[in-house]
Amino acid sequence: MTATRYGVGREELASLLAEAGEPAYRARQVWEGLHAGLLAPAEMTSLPRALRERLELALPPALDLVAESVSDRGGTVKSLWALGPADGPRAPAAPGHAPDGPRIESVLMHYAERTTVCVSTQVGCAMACGFCATGQAGFTRQLTPGEILEQVVRAARRSRDGGRRLANVVFMGMGEPLANEPNVWSAVERIHDDLGLSARHLTISTVGIVPGIRALAERPLPVNLAVSLHAARDDLRDDLVPINRRYPLDDLMAACRDYLSATRRRLSFEWAMIDGVNDSDRDARELARLARALSPSAHVNLIPLNPTPGWPTRGTPREHVRAFADRLTALGVNATVRRNRGTDIDAACGQLAAGQLAPRPPSGGALRQPGSAAASRALPLRISSRSARSSRPVPNDPS
Ligand code: SAH
């Protein structure tokens, strides 16, 4: 297996250069060029030209840009990347053809006050949440630490070239980070130690993998944890988030409590608001009860559901999302309505599938109309027909 430029560790790089007969100080030069400088070997002008050329060949990038989509007047950029075999070299694409290999996406978001990248941690996802495009596409493989880190480096470089500084990373792209915890953690350490981002600006989002939350509690850097709750009672959560059948709410809440007491950090709950499914007053009360059962109590992020090809139900209308947030506030819970970015380029939460799904139908057609009596009945019926528990397998938990 050939190394890639962000897949090698510092010692590996040093021995690679030593074997090539280079003086010892080159290792530090190249390492700093890659991480502090965000440079490709070809751009490291402090190195002799011949060495630059050799390094370009010996340490190829792990990610090959296939396409870029831009929305929000340049504020959101989705990148589609082709990968090689787990951190190894990619076969060169035939002229005029896009590169082969598994694909992932990452999303760079510029806000007035900060720049954030949302990175993938797996090719696809095994968690099978029906409303998430990545879940609809299924699982292909784990990403390596180098592949995760390189997404951040490429985003940092693109930001810098545009006069912005990338300071935040959210592990909320394709995949379930805590089903790939060791690799995600290696990437976190490199992002922190070598790229110099603050741990408080890194957020790992999980569907609720209990052993992963417990593993994270043992890790030394104070990263943020977000738990994708979406339902606060087991029957509904079993249906929306199938891994709940393996790690039901009592176990998940116990892991969250232990995480908070071990780390003295905070955590947040993510709640994708699905019209007529998890946006009633009862849902608000159940959610508030769980948020307040934690100490300190969980912050709630509300995300109106984004459309995906395989899920017929629409997001809760804006004004009702606002009312739900106000209800949570009245119940003593801090809630934020998330800004939606890049919905038009399928770059928003839950929409990343790296081209593996058919495009979604034009809005209107397959979506139900809000407020009609038939519509209000449609989903509960659909859910109960799907929740015959034996009919859907519990996703494999690779942890
Ligand atoms: N697997 C991890 C991280 C990836 S998803 C997790 O589940 O947390 C990032 C967030 O987007 C999660 O909270 C996820 O539940 C949410 N999400 C998935 N599909 C969505 C959709 N269609 N609309 C809005 N949010 C969605």
Side-chain angles (χ1 to χ4, degrees):
M1 189 180 92
T2 311
T4 64
R5 59 191 61 162
Y6 291 97
V8 285
R10 198 167 186 146
E11 276 161 29
E12 223 180 318
L13 177 70
S15 45
L16 204 128
L17 287 161
E19 277 161 32
E22 292 295 330
Y25 65 84
R26 290 277 185 238
R28 188 178 49 79
Q29 254 182 329
V30 175
W31 190 261
E32 291 194 348
L34 286 170
H35 298 92
L38 307 172
L39 300 172
E43 299 172 306
M44 298 179 189
T45 47
S46 59
L47 303 180
R49 180 181 298 274
L51 178 58
R52 284 183 243 162
E53 283 165 9
R54 273 166 40 225
L55 283 174
E56 274 293 329
L57 293 175
L59 296 175
L63 310 179
D64 199 353
L65 186 64
V66 178
E68 211 173 65
S69 335
V70 179
S71 132
D72 302 321
R73 282 183 261 116
T76 303
V77 181
K78 181 173 83 166
S79 304
L80 172 65
W81 307 103
L83 310 174
D87 237 5
R90 279 165 293 99
H97 287 77
D100 293 338
R103 290 178 174 199
I104 54 162
E105 291 176 325
S106 52
V107 184
L108 180 59
M109 292 161 283
H110 301 298
Y111 299 94
E113 67 291 2
R114 65 178 189 279
T115 291
T116 300
V117 66
C118 174
V119 298
S120 293
T121 56
Q122 300 180 311
V123 183
C125 185
M127 297 299 118
C129 304
F131 53 85
C132 173
T134 315
Q136 291 159 21
F139 177 74
T140 304
R141 75 159 165 86
Q142 304 286 21
L143 292 188
T144 63
E147 289 165 339
I148 299 169
L149 174 65
E150 198 176 311
Q151 293 172 68
V152 179
V153 170
R154 305 285 281 258
R157 175 63 190 262
R158 198 184 192 290
S159 302
R160 192 182 69 190
D161 291 349
R164 312 275 311 218
R165 198 177 86 79
L166 177 80
N168 302 278
V169 180
V170 294
F171 295 84
M172 293 189 183
M174 297 170 66
E176 167 49 42
L178 295 189
N180 188 15
E181 198 271 343
N183 288 358
V184 167
W185 193 262
S186 298
V188 163
E189 286 181 325
R190 295 279 302 273
I191 293 165
H192 176 267
D193 299 350
D194 299 322
L195 300 183
L197 269 61
S198 154
R200 305 220 172 257
H201 291 172
L202 312 180
T203 301
I204 293 179
S205 178
T206 180
V207 72
I209 308 277
V210 165
I213 295 173
R214 295 195 181 283
L216 204 60
E218 303 290 315
R219 301 293 195 179
L221 295 172
V223 300
N224 303 307
L225 178 64
V227 174
S228 297
L229 203 62
H230 307 314
R233 56 178 187 277
D234 279 317
D235 59 344
L236 180 59
R237 196 164 192 272
D238 281 355
D239 203 73
L240 292 176
V241 180
I243 200 71
N244 192 67
R245 297 179 215 163
R246 177 149 314 153
Y247 304 119
L249 284 166
D250 280 351
D251 298 357
L252 176 58
M253 288 297 290
C256 291
R257 265 194 301 276
D258 294 348
Y259 175 88
L260 291 174
S261 56
T263 63
R264 314 235 145 258
R265 296 175 215 154
R266 302 182 149 263
L267 61 76
S268 56
F269 288 152
E270 307 291 306
W271 193 274
M273 295 201 61
I274 314 176
D275 193 22
V277 175
N278 64 353
D279 58 1
S280 68
D281 193 66
R282 174 188 175 189
D283 295 302
R285 283 183 278 113
E286 289 172 345
L287 167 56
R289 192 175 58 77
L290 293 193
R292 294 182 56 183
L294 297 177
S295 174
S297 69
H299 183 98
V300 173
N301 284 313
L302 302 171
I303 326 161
L305 187 85
N306 293 306
T308 59
W311 183 261
T313 315
R314 60 193 284 152
T316 302
R318 271 277 155 188
E319 62 282 12
H320 187 67
V321 173
R322 204 51 266 158
F324 192 87
D326 292 345
R327 181 75 175 114
L328 289 175
T329 308
L331 290 164
V333 173
N334 283 325
T336 309
V337 179
R338 280 262 205 98
R339 286 174 275 187
N340 251 336
R341 282 302 197 99
T343 322
D344 55 331
I345 54 167
D346 283 345
C349 290
Q351 293 188 313
L352 303 183
Q356 291 191 59
L357 298 173
R360 66 191 139 92
S363 41
L367 302 178
R368 68 196 185 86
Q369 298 304 309
S372 79
S376 321
R377 284 195 305 272
L379 199 101
L381 281 177
R382 204 178 60 73
I383 280 193
S384 56
S385 65
R386 286 203 315 162
S387 42
R389 296 192 175 212
S390 54
S391 68
R392 279 210 303 171
V394 177
N396 279 329
D397 171 11
S399 52

